[in-house]
Structure formats: C-alpha cells, structure tokens
Amino acid sequence: MIHKIKSMYDNGQGLSIRAISRELNISRNTVKKYLAMDAQGICVMMEDTSRQKWLDGYRDYLINQLKDYPKLSAVKLMRRLCRKVGKLPISERSMRRYVQNLKAEVAVGQYRYYEPIIETVPGVQCQVDPGELRGVLINGKPHTVYFVAFVLSYSRLMYVGLSLQPLNTQRFIEMHDEAFRYFGGVTEECIYDQTKLVVLSEEYRELKLNQRFAQYATAASFHIHACEGFDP
C-alpha cells in the first residue's frame, strides 16, 4: 500500500493527496504519513508486528462485511479487501488476529429477529440440504455417508438420498429425481443453502449457478431459490 501511494503521488507529479485518499478510500492523514516516510522508515514499519493497525483505516468496511456475513473467514475478508484496495501490506496472520477481535465486537452488539416462514400452499416449496455423516458402521467398518435431505415445506414429508461417494452434480441430480418420484410430483421451487452443487459463487447477490444443475432445474420445471450467503 505504501509503495502504491508513493507511485500514485509520483513526487507531486501524479495524483493529489485528496485524490489518492478518495481513490484508496483511506484518510488524507494516512496518505500524508506514508508519503513522509523514507525507505528506512518503510522497512521499520513493515517489520513491526503492530502494522496490523493499518487495518484501522478499513475498520468500518470490515465491520459492515461481518455484520452482513458473520461467518466470513479472515482469509475471505482479506480477499475482498484486496479486490477493493489492491495488495495489502499485512500478513494473513495479522489479518486473522484483527478479524478475531472485530468479530467479538460485532457479536456483542448484534441482534437479529427471526420468525417462522409459514408455507400455506402444498406443493410449492421443497427444502434441500446436503450433508455427511462420518464413522457410520457398515459391515463392521466405519464409512462416511453422504446424503441429501428433501423436505416439503407444507407437509414436512421427507426423502433422504444416500451415497457412499462424495456427491457430484450427476448424483445430486439423480437424488432429485428419486425424491420427486417419492413425492409423486415436482414442487414449484426448491430452496438451497449455498452448496457448490448449486451456487458456484456470489457477488453482491449476483449468483453464478452450476450450469449443469441449472439446466436440469429448467428441464424439470422448478425454480432454484438460493439463500443469501452465511444467512441462517
């Protein structure tokens, strides 16, 4: 970050301090402090383990991210911050320590209101949740059993598909076919947590779907409803 600021300023021939502050979303005082540093001062700062305080300039951004996505890991937060400001002058270890403290602060003042969602129309929605059970004894030997639970929202009728192999798109589709045959029909929509079998990535609620599964859903005539990331 320091070198980026200096290159943008270019000894007064480039952007102004105000413009750099606005471009990098940091305070003008921070820009001035970094510009005033000589090479030796930069080296001392980079070697100082307290440099994680650099993150204070993005404290509000990180807090907002954690409020929206409480389960975001420090590594994922670091990637988001990198996309926002470029290369960071901190280590993953420093980021983890900083985020750990922030999470404690955010959790103290965070309250969320929950209420049941009552589905009053049969056949509209099916909740689909993949998972796994480890150490299941089969013929006296422990195995990992992979499963997908299908639950009709109205009646709570359930079907569970099983596999002894990690789930892939093909097996996931087959389990849907099995569930629909068991239920005797296809619901209007299926609701999913953000499993990679359905949602490959999310950016500001723009979803990139598993195209093979999306094509299957279209052919089977049901709508994919993906829950927001990290929302319980």
Side-chain angles (χ1 to χ4, degrees):
M1 175 59 72
I2 299 174
H3 298 295
K4 185 172 184 177
I5 290 173
K6 286 184 174 291
S7 65
M8 292 173 72
Y9 187 68
D10 192 19
N11 293 319
Q13 302 301 311
L15 297 178
S16 67
I17 291 175
R18 182 188 295 273
I20 294 173
S21 170
R22 185 168 54 250
E23 181 72 20
L24 300 180
N25 196 26
I26 57 178
S27 70
R28 278 178 282 172
N29 287 337
T30 300
V31 175
K32 290 177 183 178
K33 180 182 71 173
Y34 288 163
L35 289 176
M37 285 184 176
D38 56 17
Q40 182 178 358
I42 293 173
C43 290
V44 170
M45 179 179 176
M46 295 300 289
E47 291 172 359
D48 184 0
T49 57
S50 67
R51 66 182 181 274
Q52 63 176 300
K53 295 302 181 183
W54 174 88
L55 287 166
D56 285 342
Y58 300 97
R59 180 185 178 85
D60 290 342
Y61 170 77
L62 295 173
I63 287 177
N64 287 333
Q65 289 291 304
L66 287 172
K67 285 182 177 178
D68 290 339
Y69 309 104
K71 294 185 180 180
L72 267 182
S73 67
V75 173
K76 289 184 178 180
L77 270 173
M78 194 169 186
R79 289 174 186 165
R80 292 190 177 202
L81 191 56
C82 276
R83 289 198 296 268
K84 181 178 177 67
V85 303
K87 187 175 181 180
L88 309 182
I90 58 169
S91 65
E92 286 189 10
R93 184 177 181 182
S94 295
M95 185 72 176
R96 283 195 294 269
R97 286 199 298 265
Y98 194 86
V99 170
Q100 184 177 10
N101 292 332
L102 278 187
K103 282 187 174 181
E105 293 180 26
V106 170
V108 169
Q110 190 171 23
Y111 298 93
R112 298 190 65 179
Y113 174 72
Y114 301 98
E115 63 180 5
I117 297 175
I118 302 175
E119 178 57 72
T120 59
V121 182
V124 170
Q125 188 182 82
C126 179
Q127 301 164 11
V128 185
D129 292 298
E132 63 181 59
L133 289 174
R134 300 183 180 183
V136 178
L137 293 179
I138 301 176
N139 295 328
K141 295 182 179 179
H143 289 76
T144 298
V145 175
Y146 303 88
F147 65 87
V148 179
F150 299 82
V151 182
L152 296 181
S153 297
Y154 179 80
S155 67
R156 311 311 296 171
L157 182 64
M158 177 187 291
Y159 174 83
V160 180
L162 302 175
S163 174
L164 293 179
Q165 301 297 325
L167 296 176
N168 56 25
T169 303
Q170 179 60 37
R171 183 65 185 121
F172 195 54
I173 289 173
E174 291 171 355
M175 287 182 176
H176 279 71
D177 285 338
E178 294 167 6
F180 294 145
R181 284 196 296 269
Y182 178 77
F183 294 143
V186 179
T187 54
E188 292 182 16
E189 72 172 9
C190 289
I191 184 169
Y192 304 88
D193 196 359
Q194 290 209 6
T195 169
K196 294 297 184 183
L197 292 165
V198 178
V199 179
L200 299 181
S201 63
E202 175 193 3
E203 189 73 25
Y204 305 112
R205 287 305 293 154
E206 290 292 330
L207 303 179
K208 181 179 179 181
L209 298 177
N210 177 336
Q211 285 303 303
R212 186 177 176 193
F213 184 75
Q215 290 170 1
Y216 164 75
T218 299
S221 300
F222 69 86
H223 171 68
I224 294 174
H225 180 117
C227 294
E228 185 173 346
F230 305 102
D231 189 273

